[in-house]
């Protein structure tokens, strides 16, 4: 499979624009030019990763201002379906990404049905495209989160240091999901689960490659930032009348900041689902001045020293530990985008 078949048309255009600016016939040495290019590429990738969620949020605002109340649920559902189909048909989303999005649909819709039943939030009445009192567009909101995460994972060629064992992450994620239901009947274990999440990811670092630069960030910080932006989007969605919390019954008011913690815990479930489809990969070996990579000392079982096994202790394949081939260009991960096609590590 070629790199082009695993990325989208928009990503190739961003890539070409970055190369025109940064790689126009010579190797630039001006720090300002390098910084501006990396900053612009970072912003373009983040905007593209948010494409589905931003379009869905904009649709909610337009429907709120133009469509009668009784028809809003069905209009939003139809619009969300058209957005999803359009992104796939026009090559703006890959089939593998769609599988992750559908997984988020199922997990999110099950929770929505329960939460609406117990009164955690409510949707406007009206419409035929409803499941157990929940409009079907609700699943697309969780799908938007999944779409963002899986795109970021691929666009930035994410790699991880000290990633927790998959079975431990699955146990914590399962506990978080169960607590979203169980805390209505028994003791709320949110504080215990939050502590478990912090301990699980305390030493995990994320490596995100932009164009040439590779950014490093603690995974907990990245998850908290995503949770914060979801909370901002939630404020827009509730203002648009997509749903309402009990405190907003008498009139719209900002969503309580405590919801950020709930979104952070939900991020654990999201990360577990994405890395189940896209197993985490360790960072590339360091580059020597002459351009060759320093091989990591081999452990007795064949893994590089310092690397951790994935998926319950199975060793990662050798090609994942040495992602730069003889030409030092294309990433070995099958889901790498065109941003890795020719750019050398700078």
């Amino acid at each position: 499979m070629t790199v082009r078949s695993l990325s989208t048309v928009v990503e190739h255009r961003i890539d070409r624009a970055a190369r025109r600016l940064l790689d126009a016939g010579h190797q630039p040495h001006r720090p300002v030019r390098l910084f501006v290019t990396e900053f612009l590429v970072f912003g373009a990738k983040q905007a593209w990763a948010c494409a589905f969620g931003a379009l869905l949020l904009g649709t909610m605002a337009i429907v709120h201002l133009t469509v009668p109340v009784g028809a809003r649920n069905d209009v939003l559902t139809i619009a969300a379906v058209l957005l999803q189909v359009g992104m796939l048909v026009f090559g703006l989303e890959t089939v593998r990404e769609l599988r992750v999005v559908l997984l988020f649909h199922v997990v999110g819709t099950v929770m929505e049905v329960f939460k609406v039943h117990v009164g955690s939030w409510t949707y406007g009445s009206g419409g035929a495209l409803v499941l157990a009192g929940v409009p079907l567009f609700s699943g697309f909101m969780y799908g938007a989160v999944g779409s963002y995460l899986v795109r970021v994972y691929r666009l930035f060629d994410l790699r991880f240091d000290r990633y927790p064992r998959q079975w431990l992450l699955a146990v914590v994620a399962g506990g978080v999901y169960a607590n979203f239901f169980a805390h209505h009947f028994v003791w709320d274990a949110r504080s215990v689960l939050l502590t478990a999440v912090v301990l699980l990811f305390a030493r995990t670092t994320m490596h995100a490659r932009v164009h040439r630069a590779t950014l490093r960030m603690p995974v907990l910080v990245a998850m908290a930032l995503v949770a914060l932006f979801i909370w901002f989007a939630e404020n827009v969605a509730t203002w648009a009348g997509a749903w309402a919390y009990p405190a907003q019954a008498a009139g719209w008011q900002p969503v309580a900041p405590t919801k950020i913690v709930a979104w952070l815990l939900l991020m654990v479930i999201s990360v577990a689902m994405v890395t189940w489809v896209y197993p985490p990969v360790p960072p590339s070996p360091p580059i020597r001045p002459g351009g060759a990579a320093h091989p990591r000392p081999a452990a007795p079982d064949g893994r590089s020293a310092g690397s951790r096994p994935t998926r319950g202790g199975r060793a990662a394949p050798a090609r994942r530990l040495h992602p730069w081939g003889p030409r030092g260009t294309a990433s070995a991960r099958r889901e790498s985008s065109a941003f890795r096609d020719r750019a050398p590590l700078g």
Side-chain angles (χ1 to χ4, degrees):
M1 300 178 71
T2 63
V3 172
R4 178 173 292 274
S5 68
L6 294 170
S7 57
T8 67
V9 175
V10 175
E11 292 160 24
H12 283 278
R13 291 177 178 173
I14 297 172
D15 184 42
R16 287 197 299 268
R19 296 186 187 287
R20 282 197 299 267
L21 180 63
L22 192 59
D23 302 329
H26 64 282
Q27 185 77 11
H29 298 287
R30 287 176 288 182
V32 173
R33 186 177 186 183
L34 290 169
F35 173 80
V36 170
T37 302
E38 296 290 342
F39 179 79
L40 292 177
V41 173
F42 179 84
K45 287 187 179 184
Q46 285 287 350
W48 180 232
C50 295
F52 182 78
L55 288 171
L56 185 60
L57 204 60
T59 301
M60 289 179 180
I62 293 172
V63 168
H64 173 69
L65 297 173
T66 60
V67 177
V69 175
R72 287 177 184 172
N73 289 338
D74 285 351
V75 170
L76 280 175
T77 299
I78 294 170
V81 171
L82 292 176
L83 285 174
Q84 185 68 79
V85 171
M87 292 190 70
L88 189 65
V89 169
F90 292 105
L92 304 180
E93 187 169 70
T94 66
V95 175
R96 192 172 188 185
E97 288 173 348
L98 181 61
R99 295 209 303 264
V100 178
V101 170
L102 292 176
L103 181 61
F104 274 76
H105 267 271
V106 174
V107 172
T109 301
V110 170
M111 188 167 67
E112 283 287 319
V113 170
F114 176 81
K115 288 291 191 178
V116 169
H117 178 72
V118 297
S120 295
W121 53 79
T122 58
Y123 288 93
S125 59
L129 303 177
V130 176
L131 174 65
V134 177
L136 295 182
F137 75 81
S138 65
F140 287 92
M141 296 185 292
Y142 294 89
V145 176
S147 176
Y148 170 78
L149 290 178
V150 74
R151 283 169 178 269
V152 163
Y153 197 88
R154 178 169 56 83
L155 286 170
F156 289 93
D157 198 17
L158 296 186
R159 295 164 186 267
F160 303 90
D161 267 330
R162 302 183 181 91
Y163 195 83
R165 296 182 183 274
Q166 289 287 75
W167 71 268
L168 280 175
L169 177 58
V171 169
V172 174
V176 170
Y177 192 66
N179 190 68
F180 278 120
F181 299 86
H183 81 86
H184 292 280
F185 310 106
V186 296
W187 174 67
D188 189 353
R190 191 170 311 184
S191 58
V192 174
L193 291 167
L194 188 60
T195 302
V197 170
V198 171
L199 293 175
L200 193 64
F201 287 102
R203 301 174 64 230
T204 307
T205 303
M206 179 179 71
H207 297 246
R209 187 170 179 185
V210 184
H211 183 62
R212 284 187 177 139
T214 298
L215 306 179
R216 288 182 294 178
M217 177 185 295
V219 166
L220 285 173
V221 173
M223 291 168 59
L225 288 174
V226 174
L228 179 63
F229 279 103
I230 293 176
W231 177 74
F232 286 139
E234 186 179 34
N235 276 280
V236 176
T238 53
W239 167 83
W243 74 91
Y245 291 104
Q248 297 171 323
W252 183 83
Q253 57 180 296
V255 178
T258 53
K259 287 290 292 181
I260 298 174
V261 176
W263 284 114
L264 176 61
L265 291 174
L266 190 65
M267 284 300 302
V268 178
I269 303 173
S270 304
V271 169
M273 289 192 292
V274 171
T275 54
W276 177 57
V277 179
Y278 294 82
V281 181
S284 307
I287 304 298
R288 283 202 294 249
H294 285 290
R296 295 184 178 183
D301 61 357
R303 296 194 308 271
S304 294
S307 65
R308 298 194 60 172
T310 58
R311 291 202 175 266
R314 287 184 293 175
R319 63 183 179 85
R320 292 182 183 269
L321 296 179
H322 302 281
W324 306 104
R327 293 179 298 172
T329 53
S331 172
R333 186 188 303 169
R334 298 177 68 242
E335 288 295 321
S336 291
S337 74
F339 292 94
R340 316 293 172 265
D341 194 14
R342 295 177 299 277
L345 261 173

